[in-house]
Amino acid sequence: MPQPGQRVTVSYRPSALLSGQPRLTLRARLRAPGGKSYNSGVPVITVATLRPGDGGTFTGAFALPDSVVYGAFAVEDSSASVIDDNGSRAWELLVSDSSGRPAFAALDQRASDMMGRNWEEGYATVQRMVALYPDTLRGWIWLRAFHSWLGRSDDDSIRTLHRTRLAAFDAEFSTTPPTTDEEGLLAWYAQGTDSSIAARWRARLIREAPTNSFAVQWRLLSVFDSLRTSHDTVRARRQVDALWAQAPRERRAQVAEAGTGLAFESGDMTLIRRWTTRLSQSEDDARASARRTALNFTRLASLRGEGIARLRAEIDSLVKLAPEDRALDETLADQRARHDRLRRQTMATLGQALVADGRPAEARTVLEEATSIGWNLGVFTTVRSASLLAGDTSSALTMAARMIADPRTPAAFAASVHPVAVRHLGEAAWQRELDSARALFVERMLAGASARTLARKVRVRGLGGRTESIAGLTQGRVSVVVFWSRFCGPAIQELPHLNEVAARLARDGIPVVSIVDEPTTSPALKAFLKDKQVTVPVYLDSWHEASRAFNQWGTPYYYVVDDAGRVRFDVTLSADEALAQAEALRLATRVESTSARR
């Protein structure tokens, strides 16, 4: 815990893979006050070179910038092929104040850094925050957020705690005038705790400080609340344009996102260009913004040519591997693989745009490269269309075989293709094409798989109150675990399809375990399940062991578990993607079992 701007000395005892190196590199994800939550888009820089000394220990030093309050560190070799990130925890640095305690801003940024990577450390950080700084509103907002995420908002003791703190802040600020930032924080903290206090402070903030970050967000929400009833899009565009001129830096991306959506709905080219420029200027992730803008342009015939040019520029840019874009725990090879995936996805988008633009031969060239690595059903579908338009039946049938090998493709498609394929290739050759496609499906789907072991016993509760374990529910089979919520719009929309996917997986002996973040089976939950006709088995994350074990931060989140009880893929938000992952894993497991019996 150094002081701001202090020189920091580093001593590192290397892991076996890094010992004997002539030098090592210390990289860091450094955070200043006001940094955003999660780590996507936070630059990673090299801060020091470490050199070997006595006993094989490496040493080095660096000057901590005055603006930095928190840092996460990892050590790597000079080729960035081996990384030691302290067992995925990273080494950490929190700036301290003059009394030697961690600065509030340091704890605030540590909590942001833990978002998406460690529930327990994030919660412990905000608990320490309110213990050390009980009079700072932001700490209590953090604590209430974690109580909500951990399903404790309805605990009597938690409700009492936050109501008491809110009343104290409300009384203090009613006698001692708060800053506009404190007004916004108080109105935000009061939401979900006391609606009358929240409404009073929100109205005061909007009246007295309409350009405050929280005020701009509430004003933006008000614009769309009015739009839903008035349907006056001209007025809404005018209001959002005024908000853009008033929004502080941290709120501009949100306003630009809203303005861009309204601009595309209008079809006005001038508005579209204005708002997409604003969006690219305000978003932290310039590359993601560029891809999204290019995609939106390709959907309009009048802008498709420019969108195609933008996509080509983005494809070219993905060849470059910027050091600051490489994550702290990512090797150079990992970064290259990630860029390759993005490049293929962007090429697929380009191919689709070229098909829409009436350029099938050009599209086929692009899409063939996109299909050379990885597994993407949408790309295969587009390549087949482009091949048919170009008169290339052989390529079209190869793509059709890949589509049929993917369990997301309806069975009716296979039936419709079969007569054409047999007529063109013959029955035996078509069967070989299908067998090859299925083998490729398994190979490429599992190429990006990993293996993360879960805690030995993860408890959930059945709707009838019985305690179960994830291991007991999956019973040593390939399984899908999905987290959803009756309060999450996307999760609710996905429920009918989840029922269909679960039924499809059940035919192959793959169970689906669905988990909701509720402590008990309430009458409201029962009514919801009946109303939505949920047929997939539902369990309660009563102790939040499941959310912590899977490192689940949102809904709907799907995880595929293998027969050894390990999570084998990164989380996906798509039931269809989970279906494909589970089927590939099941087929691979079946092949392995057959080989073992032989």
Side-chain angles (χ1 to χ4, degrees), residues 463-494:
L463 293 177
R466 179 176 173 176
T467 299
E468 307 277 3
S469 70
I470 295 295
L473 294 171
T474 57
Q475 296 181 344
R477 294 173 292 176
V478 173
S479 308
V480 173
V481 176
V482 53
F483 291 82
W484 63 276
S485 169
R486 60 188 171 101
F487 307 106
C488 171
I492 294 171
Q493 291 174 353
E494 183 92 337

Side-chain angles (χ1 to χ4, degrees), residues 249-277:
R249 178 72 182 88
E250 68 273 13
R251 196 62 69 184
R252 286 200 147 200
Q254 185 177 7
V255 176
E257 182 80 39
T260 300
L262 289 171
F264 272 100
E265 286 180 13
S266 74
D268 186 314
M269 296 301 111
T270 301
L271 285 178
I272 290 172
R273 292 185 185 282
R274 179 189 305 160
W275 277 108
T276 52
T277 299

Side-chain angles (χ1 to χ4, degrees), residues 23-53:
R23 66 181 185 280
L24 297 173
T25 300
L26 181 69
R27 300 177 78 232
R29 185 170 58 239
L30 300 178
R31 288 178 167 271
K36 62 181 184 179
S37 296
Y38 297 91
N39 297 315
S40 175
V42 179
V44 177
I45 63 171
T46 296
V47 294
T49 297
L50 308 181
R51 301 192 182 279

